Amino acid sequence: MLSRPRRLSPPRRALSSSATQSMAYPFPRFSSAPQTPQYVKGVESPSSWQSRGFDKPRSYATRWLLLSLTATAIFLVLLAKSLASHPRGTDRIPFSHSDIDDFFDHFEGRQGCGIASTDIYIPPVALHPTTRKHSLYCPNRAKLLEAMSGGGRHGFDTPYFPLGCHFRWFTTPEICMILDRFDSVIFLGDNTLRHIYSAFNMLLRENIALGGLKEWEMKESEREACRCDNQLSRPECLAYSILDSRAVRSNDASSGHSSPYLCDRTPHVFIPVDRSPAAEDLHTTFNSFLHREPDSYKPIAVIHSLSLATSLAWPTATSSMDEWVTIADMSQKNVPFLWVGPNAAGHLKPPSQIISQGNNALWHYTIEMAKEAEARQLDTLGMYNFTLQAGSWDGTYYGQEVVLVQAMMVINWLSRLEST
């Protein structure tokens, strides 16, 4: 019988709202208050020796104590260096040293949609020629989530810079290597997460023109009308959104507009959730992915988000967390969760929604739900800072230049998870 899997320990991040230097809205991190050194009777400091006219300790016992403390300090330093070389949640994908100018150069729709990866992602640059390139990227999962959540932009709609260290932009073959480590990947949430899942499909199909849609069901006029950003913004196009990778595998090859996944060994699905408890048929779909391979030891990754669909109702969000975590735990599988926070409100948000769905409400929701996720041992990725200075067509949802980066952030989280 399989032993009950452990839930992955969450990264540590602060829950205080104290300001950091480069951010108007710092994403919280955990920190502990500095401790005041305690006086130890019988042990004198070097300054006290000098004030009394001595250059060194007079007693053998004091000298022995100092030698012991020095040896202990050296041991702790060496231990810390050893642990730092293998931090928890380190990148599981080999680092590529090849320089790629535009990751989208060979993608379908690259010219027509007018998006280059350099427009939305700028890799870190070493300030010293001897700096190793991989050292510029976040060393572990905790730092990665903290950096992606707490960064900012140097101007409206400019590329986003994470805080302190960088995330990677993976090539499609590298994304396939990441997905191969999982039994399945499940997206649970409302329309905000649905757009991220659409971008996830665009990356895997190497198609930013129509990669998030079921082209085989569309008329030629609909394909033309739904290209690029329109596949996310037009309601008539959203009706064709891919919700299950198995649909692409079953239907795409038979259509006259084939756009297959570069790899499709790991199934993935989007389960629409807008309330808690969710409908029973959604539980059935979720369980079918949890139990797809009964003897598999691979983890099943879950990306969960719920915000505007419930009008930012805190009790509904926490109930949804408990609902899906409980089902996952009953499977006795290794099911790591990522809670994705809401986007910031764009400047075109209708005035009637500013109070209930404006940035003040969204920021407090982000912070409180991060606390609730932490209490349930879930990882958290904040999207507030990332979207704060990004362009939105309606003040609520964002285009490809935003959701493609959000999908890559999710892939970065997947790359740092343990594979067993």
Side-chain angles (χ1 to χ4, degrees):
M1 178 178 291
L2 295 175
S3 61
R4 185 176 182 81
R6 68 189 187 281
R7 184 164 301 287
L8 296 176
S9 59
R12 301 306 245 171
R13 56 180 71 80
L15 299 181
S16 66
S17 57
S18 57
T20 57
Q21 287 181 352
S22 59
M23 288 305 306
Y25 296 93
F27 196 79
R29 297 180 301 231
F30 283 123
S31 61
S32 57
Q35 301 296 314
T36 303
Q38 300 296 313
Y39 171 74
V40 180
K41 185 177 181 180
V43 179
E44 296 178 307
S45 67
S47 60
S48 66
W49 305 333
Q50 294 170 1
S51 65
R52 293 171 55 182
F54 295 99
D55 293 328
K56 58 183 178 180
R58 294 179 301 168
S59 68
Y60 174 81
T62 305
R63 186 176 304 170
W64 179 88
L65 178 59
L66 287 174
L67 289 174
S68 299
L69 291 174
T70 302
T72 302
I74 293 174
F75 171 77
L76 292 175
V77 169
L78 293 175
L79 178 62
K81 288 184 177 181
S82 175
L83 293 175
S85 63
H86 301 284
R88 179 176 176 83
T90 52
D91 213 332
R92 266 42 183 190
I93 303 303
F95 186 81
S96 173
H97 291 273
S98 60
D99 293 323
I100 300 176
D101 291 332
D102 183 5
F103 288 90
F104 299 155
D105 187 57
H106 61 288
F107 277 37
E108 183 176 342
R110 161 64 182 85
Q111 298 298 325
C113 298
I115 300 178
S117 67
T118 51
D119 297 331
I120 58 179
Y121 175 83
I122 297 179
V125 178
L127 300 180
H128 195 277
T130 60
T131 301
R132 294 184 177 181
K133 191 174 182 179
H134 66 81
S135 67
L136 302 173
Y137 296 90
C138 298
N140 53 53
R141 192 172 81 247
K143 291 291 186 182
L144 173 73
L145 291 172
E146 184 179 290
M148 293 191 300
S149 300
R153 301 175 188 266
H154 301 295
F156 190 81
D157 255 353
T158 57
Y160 182 75
F161 284 89
L163 180 65
C165 57
H166 223 294
F167 63 95
R168 291 172 59 177
W169 195 279
F170 293 103
T171 63
T172 314
E174 288 174 330
I175 297 174
C176 292
M177 291 174 62
I178 294 169
L179 294 182
D180 278 346
R181 298 168 50 248
F182 296 89
D183 189 56
S184 56
V185 179
I186 304 171
F187 291 73
L188 289 168
D190 53 16
N191 281 340
T192 299
L193 191 64
R194 181 176 180 169
H195 289 177
I196 297 176
Y197 181 68
S198 291
F200 185 79
N201 281 278
M202 295 176 205
L203 293 172
L204 284 173
R205 299 176 77 188
E206 296 189 331
N207 182 349
I208 54 179
L210 292 163
L213 303 179
K214 294 179 283 189
E215 299 175 67
W216 58 89
E217 295 182 1
M218 304 171 69
K219 300 176 183 178
E220 188 61 37
S221 59
E222 291 173 323
R223 294 189 190 99
E224 287 300 318
C226 292
R227 292 177 64 85
C228 306
D229 267 342
N230 290 340
Q231 62 188 307
L232 302 170
S233 61
R234 292 188 174 182
E236 62 270 24
C237 301
L238 289 172
Y240 294 105
S241 295
I242 294 171
L243 302 181
D244 190 328
S245 62
R246 294 171 296 186
V248 177
R249 181 188 304 176
S250 302
N251 297 285
D252 183 72
S254 62
S255 70
H257 298 269
S258 181
S259 180
Y261 293 120
L262 186 67
C263 55
D264 63 356
R265 293 181 293 272
T266 302
H268 44 87
V269 65
F270 173 79
I271 300 178
V273 174
D274 58 8
R275 63 182 185 272
S276 182
E280 191 60 36
D281 62 314
L282 301 183
H283 290 177
T284 301
T285 302
F286 188 63
N287 273 308
S288 69
F289 277 82
L290 292 180
H291 300 283
R292 192 182 70 88
E293 296 287 347
D295 298 326
S296 175
Y297 284 89
K298 291 182 179 180
I300 300 163
V302 176
I303 299 94
H304 188 200
S305 181
L306 194 61
S307 55
L308 294 179
T310 65
S311 299
L312 304 180
W314 297 7
T316 304
T318 55
S319 174
S320 186
M321 290 181 194
D322 292 334
E323 175 184 358
W324 297 104
V325 167
T326 299
I327 298 174
D329 285 346
M330 291 175 63
S331 73
Q332 296 194 351
K333 293 294 190 78
N334 182 3
V335 187
F337 273 71
L338 175 68
W339 174 260
V340 179
N343 296 330
H347 67 283
L348 295 178
K349 175 74 77 171
S352 60
Q353 299 177 5
I354 290 298
I355 300 299
S356 61
Q357 298 182 13
N359 280 335
N360 185 56
L362 288 162
W363 176 244
H364 284 287
Y365 185 88
T366 296
I367 296 301
E368 294 304 320
M369 292 308 101
K371 293 179 183 179
E372 296 291 344
E374 174 69 25
R376 292 160 175 79
Q377 296 188 329
L378 313 182
D379 285 353
T380 302
L381 173 60
M383 291 297 183
Y384 184 91
N385 278 12
F386 173 68
T387 51
L388 188 61
Q389 288 185 289
S392 167
W393 67 77
D394 63 354
T396 298
Y397 299 112
Y398 293 82
Q400 288 180 301
E401 292 190 355
V402 168
V403 297
L404 286 166
V405 180
Q406 290 177 316
M408 188 56 67
M409 288 180 172
V410 170
I411 293 168
N412 269 259
W413 173 73
L414 292 171
S415 76
R416 303 303 179 97
L417 292 171
E418 290 83 355
S419 57
T420 55

